[in-house]
Amino acid sequence: MDLKKGFFLKLKSSFLMFTFFFCMQSGALQAGLNLEQLKNKELIRWILQVEQLCKPDCIHICDGSDEEFKDLTAQMVKTNTLIPLNGELRPNSFLSRSCEEDVARVEDRTFICSMNQRDAGPTNNWKEPAKMRKQLLELFEGSMRGRTMYVIPFSMGPLGSSISHIGIQITDSPYVVASMRIMTRMGKEVLNVLENNSFIPCLHSVGVPLDKGMVDKPWPCNPENKYIVHFPETKEIWSFGSGYGGNALLAKKCFALRIASKMGQEEGWLAEHMLIMGIENPQGEKKYFAAAFPSACGKTNLAMLKSALPGWKITLVGDDIAWMKIKEDGRLWAINPEAGMFGVAVGTSYASNPNAMDTIKKDTIFTNVGLTKEGDVWWEGMSKDTPLNCINWLGNNSSDCLKENIAHANARFATPISGCPCVDPSFDDPRGVPISAILFGGRRSSVIPLVMQSTSWQHGVFLGTTVSSETTAAANGAVGKLRHDPFAMLPFCGYHMGDYFAHWLSFSNKTDESLLPKIFYVNWFMKDENSQFRWPGFRENGRVMKWIFERIDLKPNAIKTPIGYLPDEQGLDLTHLSICPKNLANLLSVDVMGWQDEVKELREYYKIFEDKMPQKILEELDALEERLKKN
Ligand code: OXD
Ligand code: MN
């Protein structure tokens, strides 16, 4: 790849052989691949160019082996980047503490650098690609001095799936390497599948060169110069200055959503911020659902729910991202491109998500949670009482800093999906799973009912455009402010959102509409006058899942309202649930005035998409307004 232009350079491979220097010095990793094992010429050229630009001390090509992971984590324990947890309580698990200025995704530093600004649309930051490339080249120049440059081959999706794609991340962060091994299918096998095919190049540096005599920090980062940059035309990702989550694990938000959404638009498929779950009724009939909620709104909890209704079983395919394609049978099939979960720790408990708690019992990297005196982890909501002498995420003793939280609100666990007790048998199936229902949802304290069903694909796509939610700690910025987040993709759509809406609409022309998933909208977060939740949520959401499951087969347990189908009086299975009738009525009725305000607000919001706003969505808005008037 020509880093200045984004094309691959033609270089003689014999020249390359002499230019590489691998980690031979003492203390370097033993496992790993050498240059001769790389067959892909473009990959070799790109590695060479990055090495010339970033000037690392040495290069390590990751093989993804257990031995490599062991070496890497042992090395990070020495540098205090990782703290090993008590092996009897949590085997093969570590705690990491980030720098205080590097705790979440940085949306204001995230750019979609398309050739034309118009193609990035009004919801993305944009800068002229040539200017951005120049700025990045200056930042990356020598940025890996004194460090090892790791090359990580990874597959998004099961190896060999027709929906999967391969990426290569280059990084100078061993924490990123260890996390990528959890979050993706990573290592030698990926290179065998890659052969001479193309890959998505993902370049990352924490942006802290280590000059002679400098002592490294446990969490190096460069807060003044964070850049998370995507070039959608050349399908490249460049990330500088941050070591945290979606800023640095480039397979996740950068590739699997921003770049992949653009690929999906070009090639006729969908890359979505959605969980994928299997759901089986007591008679053994099984369906798969995908669901899009904004960050930190409970996707991980829902994806591995233990339903309150006996006999209903939920299995996990994915908790954050879905890639979906229409197959020969005319149905929409999905894979989870990821292999791990990067879940929000705070609030996760045996009450809220027992399957997650069991998954993170081993093989997990925790970031920014508390450390107990027994060498285990703790966070707010994990248990009722704060353990005595707990060290908080900043490394301070909790009794010295009573006002500080033990865990950061965006503290995370990175854990392999394969370790989840309710992992779906098809999680690794290259064919993916057929999707019967798509759910949208957000964190809304009023107006939006507990559940509603769209009346058509077009109406469902309209519902997707209306998603809005109170903001959470997953991204830097104010928490609890209502913001529009269409399809829960606001920070993740790699092109103009108006075109994205049109892309969604186009699926009804790609297949028989009756074969497409039915679309629903859920809201677990409605509150009463005293700010108490009206719906108990968590396991009880299984009741809503049952209604959705049955509506797919058009069971007549619904009433048609101006906003869509809502459960009728017998619709929701409320067996053994004590809920006050007033709350139930609020959860399942149409707040006409609230919706009228919603329509006004949406009409205003849609203006930002100018002439790219699809007419069909505007027609849905007009029709909704008319229906509300008649009510
Ligand atoms: C995530 C997010 O980390 O959406 O999944 O922020
Ligand atoms: Mn997410």
Side-chain angles (χ1 to χ4, degrees), residues 16 57 65 108 112 129 137 162 201 223 255 318 358 362-363 382 404 443 496 526 564 575:
L16 301 178
D57 271 14
S65 62
D108 56 332
I112 300 294
L137 285 170
S162 61
F255 178 1
D358 284 340
K362 57 179 168 56
D363 304 329
M382 185 184 194
E404 282 171 3
R443 197 178 273 273
H496 195 299
M526 207 186 237
T575 320

Side-chain angles (χ1 to χ4, degrees), residues 105 252-253 257 273 293-296 299 319-321 412 492:
R105 285 185 291 100
K252 194 172 180 61
K253 305 300 185 183
L257 289 176
H273 191 205
F293 306 154
S295 303
K299 283 205 304 299
D319 79 321
D320 196 39
I321 299 176
R412 300 281 182 143
F492 307 125

Side-chain angles (χ1 to χ4, degrees), residues 335-607:
I335 59 161
N336 173 11
E338 300 189 281
M341 293 180 278
F342 187 64
V344 177
V346 172
T348 306
S349 68
Y350 272 101
S352 68
N353 192 341
N355 280 318
M357 291 301 281
D358 284 340
T359 313
I360 59 179
K361 271 183 179 160
K362 57 179 168 56
D363 304 329
T364 300
I365 298 180
F366 297 88
T367 306
N368 290 346
V369 300
L371 178 66
T372 68
K373 65 177 187 318
E374 291 80 22
D376 199 5
V377 286
W378 195 84
W379 47 79
E380 280 73 14
M382 185 184 194
S383 58
K384 223 168 102 238
D385 299 318
T386 308
L388 285 177
N389 296 322
C390 193
I391 297 178
N392 75 5
W393 71 277
L394 293 159
N396 301 327
N397 195 299
S398 59
S399 50
D400 302 338
C401 49
L402 286 173
K403 281 198 211 84
E404 282 171 3
N405 281 345
I406 296 293
H408 185 275
N410 192 37
R412 300 281 182 143
F413 52 78
T415 195
I417 286 181
S418 57
C420 178
C422 66
V423 61
D424 190 88
S426 297
F427 158 65
D428 227 3
D429 188 336
R431 288 173 308 170
V433 296
I435 300 296
S436 299
I438 289 176
L439 282 57
F440 295 113
R443 197 178 273 273
R444 291 292 305 267
S445 50
S446 62
V447 184
I448 311 295
L450 179 63
V451 57
M452 59 182 168
Q453 182 186 0
S454 70
T455 53
S456 66
W457 179 259
Q458 180 173 307
H459 180 232
V461 175
F462 163 71
L463 291 183
T465 69
T466 70
V467 174
S468 55
S469 192
E470 286 143 30
T471 47
T472 67
N476 279 357
V479 169
K481 270 186 66 191
L482 193 69
R483 79 165 178 179
H484 289 278
D485 191 349
F487 294 78
M489 282 288 278
L490 181 75
F492 307 125
C493 183
Y495 59 103
H496 195 299
M497 263 240 166
D499 290 336
Y500 169 85
F501 299 158
H503 183 50
W504 262 84
L505 287 168
S506 75
F507 276 72
S508 61
N509 304 325
K510 292 189 201 301
T511 186
D512 180 340
E513 189 169 326
S514 68
L515 297 172
L516 283 170
K518 305 288 174 286
I519 300 181
F520 298 81
Y521 199 114
V522 297
N523 175 27
W524 319 132
F525 300 96
M526 207 186 237
K527 287 187 178 162
D528 65 15
E529 314 68 51
N530 303 317
S531 296
Q532 299 299 306
F533 288 112
R534 290 191 187 276
W535 177 247
F538 301 109
R539 301 181 62 219
E540 309 303 342
N541 294 341
R543 298 172 191 274
V544 176
M545 294 295 125
K546 177 182 173 186
W547 185 76
I548 293 173
F549 188 100
E550 292 177 345
R551 283 299 299 166
I552 292 164
D553 301 324
L554 292 176
K555 293 249 167 71
N557 49 1
I559 40 169
K560 199 167 185 184
T561 76
I563 56 174
Y565 293 103
L566 260 65
D568 65 14
E569 277 185 12
Q570 274 77 47
L572 273 193
D573 184 341
L574 299 174
T575 320
H576 301 310
L577 179 72
S578 110
I579 180 165
C580 93
K582 188 175 161 220
N583 273 343
L584 196 61
N586 267 286
L587 286 160
L588 296 179
S589 57
V590 183
D591 170 356
V592 175
M593 269 157 61
W595 274 98
Q596 278 167 338
D597 289 345
E598 197 82 6
V599 168
K600 269 194 220 130
E601 166 60 30
L602 279 165
R603 207 176 283 291
E604 223 17 67
Y605 177 60
Y606 286 164
K607 285 186 186 154

Side-chain angles (χ1 to χ4, degrees), residues 178-343:
S179 304
M180 286 282 287
R181 182 164 185 270
I182 294 173
M183 296 303 299
T184 67
R185 293 152 176 98
M186 175 272 238
K188 212 163 51 201
E189 295 75 24
V190 176
L191 291 173
N192 298 338
V193 174
L194 175 65
E195 294 182 332
N196 263 317
N197 296 316
S198 61
F199 58 88
I200 302 299
C202 312
L203 176 56
H204 170 249
S205 171
V206 292
V208 187
L210 269 183
D211 289 319
K212 268 216 177 73
M214 267 175 73
V215 182
D216 202 7
K217 294 198 175 128
W219 187 284
C221 63
N222 189 335
E224 288 79 43
N225 285 303
K226 287 187 191 172
Y227 282 91
I228 321 296
V229 181
H230 310 73
F231 296 100
E233 280 94 3
T234 49
K235 313 277 183 299
E236 289 162 80
I237 300 159
W238 295 59
S239 163
F240 189 87
S242 167
Y244 204 85
N247 300 332
L249 312 178
L250 303 186
K252 194 172 180 61
K253 305 300 185 183
C254 298
F255 178 1
L257 289 176
R258 297 194 190 97
I259 292 292
S261 61
K262 181 69 190 162
M263 290 161 72
Q265 185 212 19
E266 289 170 357
E267 297 163 12
W269 52 280
L270 293 166
E272 298 300 324
H273 191 205
M274 288 182 178
L275 66 83
I276 309 167
M277 66 200 266
I279 173 160
E280 195 177 310
N281 70 9
Q283 292 71 44
E285 194 190 340
K286 186 161 185 182
K287 300 184 196 298
Y288 287 93
F289 297 175
F293 306 154
S295 303
C297 282
K299 283 205 304 299
T300 305
N301 289 350
L302 185 62
M304 55 182 93
L305 188 77
K306 277 192 177 164
S307 175
L309 295 176
W312 286 81
K313 198 172 137 203
I314 283 166
T315 46
L316 166 75
V317 180
D319 79 321
D320 196 39
I321 299 176
W323 284 0
M324 304 191 285
K325 242 183 197 171
I326 305 259
K327 290 238 183 131
E328 304 72 45
D329 65 356
R331 300 190 67 189
L332 193 63
W333 288 68
I335 59 161
N336 173 11
E338 300 189 281
M341 293 180 278
F342 187 64

